[in-house]
Amino acid sequence: EPEVTQTPSHQVTQMGQEVILRCVPISNHLYFYWYRQILGQKVEFLVSFYNNEISEKSEIFDDQFSVERPDGSNFTLKIRSTKLEDSAMYFCASSYRDRHSYEQYFGPGTRLTVT
Amino acid sequence: QKEVEQNSGPLSVPEGAIASLNCTYSDRGSQSFFWYRQYSGKSPELIMSIYSNGDKEDGRFTAQLNKASQYVSLLIRDSQPSDSATYLCAYNFGNEKLTFGTGTRLTIIP
């Protein structure tokens, strides 16, 4: 069964450093998302991406964040200058979204630790 | 503010019994509802989606939606120890983002 994959599984970085989190969505899916989950808190939406552009972003997704689909398979989230409060699990999700289904499938996540 | 409310639990259910998980939401325009299962340290795993009022069954799982009451529930029949996890209720409407509840922690007691 097709799956969303993410790399790395765990990233440790120092405050102020740039990180890039990578995702390979399910191959025939057209809509891509990033969510994050701070330890013990609920899953929060960051950004959605369709047709090579951002379709929606949350208040969390400020100028320090960017997304890109550099080729036909990868979808990346970049954090330019990490802060301690960026420490969280970051989940990529994808969906096909036809009129019968709006289901989003999540990858295994990247645990980001900012020290 | 659009919210999803869930009882955080923990909810303890004997093995073989029915586990009942509930969720209320504030956005009357919400159209699509989802139940995800999340094991500790893992990602959300989609187990049920429901789009119209009534019941939807898939194996041991039944989702129930009542849009008038802004209520969605998940029943797990013949509960197994492997069902022990946090269950996340989520919805979206028109736009693409999912709005999640805080989740209900379910423990199945052997």
Side-chain angles (χ1 to χ4, degrees), chain A residues 31 33 35 37 42-43 45 48 50 55-56 89 91 97 100-108 111, chain B residues 3-4 32 34 36 38 41-44 46 49 51 56 88 92 94-98 100-102:
Chain A
Y31 297 82
Y33 314 85
Y35 294 83
Q37 187 176 32
K42 60 180 161 182
V43 178
F45 169 77
S48 58
Y50 170 69
S55 49
E56 187 178 5
M89 283 288 287
F91 298 114
R97 282 189 74 225
H100 300 295
S101 172
Y102 301 93
E103 299 172 345
Q104 296 184 22
Y105 296 89
F106 283 68
R111 181 176 300 282
Chain B
E3 293 287 346
V4 180
S32 305
F34 308 90
Y36 285 83
Q38 187 175 32
K42 301 297 185 182
S43 63
L46 179 68
S49 60
Y51 304 116
K56 178 182 177 183
L88 309 177
N92 64 10
N95 62 28
E96 301 166 350
K97 68 178 182 184
L98 287 172
F100 282 88
T102 53

Side-chain angles (χ1 to χ4, degrees), chain B residues 6-45:
Chain B
Q6 293 183 256
N7 187 328
S8 61
L11 174 66
S12 296
V13 172
E15 183 175 356
I18 295 175
S20 177
L21 304 161
N22 304 312
C23 173
T24 58
Y25 58 95
S26 60
D27 184 0
R28 287 193 170 272
S30 302
Q31 291 188 331
S32 305
F33 301 86
F34 308 90
W35 283 99
Y36 285 83
R37 178 174 62 198
Q38 187 175 32
Y39 293 114
S40 181
K42 301 297 185 182
S43 63
E45 175 192 6

Side-chain angles (χ1 to χ4, degrees), chain A residues 16-36:
Chain A
Q17 295 297 304
E18 175 183 287
V19 294
I20 298 176
L21 310 182
R22 292 182 166 82
C23 168
V24 178
I26 295 172
S27 62
N28 65 338
H29 284 188
L30 304 175
Y31 297 82
F32 315 119
Y33 314 85
W34 285 100
Y35 294 83
R36 79 172 186 189

Side-chain angles (χ1 to χ4, degrees), chain A residues 15-84:
Chain A
M15 195 168 50
Q17 295 297 304
E18 175 183 287
V19 294
I20 298 176
L21 310 182
R22 292 182 166 82
C23 168
V24 178
I26 295 172
S27 62
N28 65 338
H29 284 188
L30 304 175
Y31 297 82
F32 315 119
Y33 314 85
W34 285 100
Y35 294 83
R36 79 172 186 189
Q37 187 176 32
I38 295 170
L39 187 64
Q41 298 187 21
K42 60 180 161 182
V43 178
E44 301 175 290
F45 169 77
L46 292 178
V47 66
S48 58
F49 191 86
Y50 170 69
N51 200 24
N52 284 319
E53 61 182 25
I54 290 173
S55 49
E56 187 178 5
K57 58 183 180 180
S58 71
E59 293 176 352
I60 303 168
F61 195 88
D62 61 20
D63 292 344
Q64 293 301 310
F65 291 88
S66 63
V67 289
E68 189 178 33
R69 186 153 165 83
D71 54 43
S73 59
N74 291 283
F75 179 50
T76 63
L77 174 69
K78 180 192 291 186
I79 310 175
R80 288 189 183 80
S81 178
T82 51
K83 308 182 185 77
L84 294 175

Side-chain angles (χ1 to χ4, degrees), chain B residues 58-109:
Chain B
D58 183 0
R60 295 187 296 113
F61 299 98
T62 299
Q64 300 173 317
L65 174 60
N66 184 324
K67 291 189 177 182
S69 301
Q70 297 175 251
Y71 177 93
V72 59
S73 65
L74 179 71
L75 300 178
I76 306 174
R77 289 181 298 282
D78 188 24
S79 297
Q80 303 296 310
S82 58
D83 295 327
S84 296
T86 297
Y87 288 80
L88 309 177
C89 172
Y91 76 84
N92 64 10
F93 165 66
N95 62 28
E96 301 166 350
K97 68 178 182 184
L98 287 172
T99 299
F100 282 88
T102 53
T104 298
R105 188 155 55 94
L106 174 66
T107 300
I108 306 301
I109 304 167

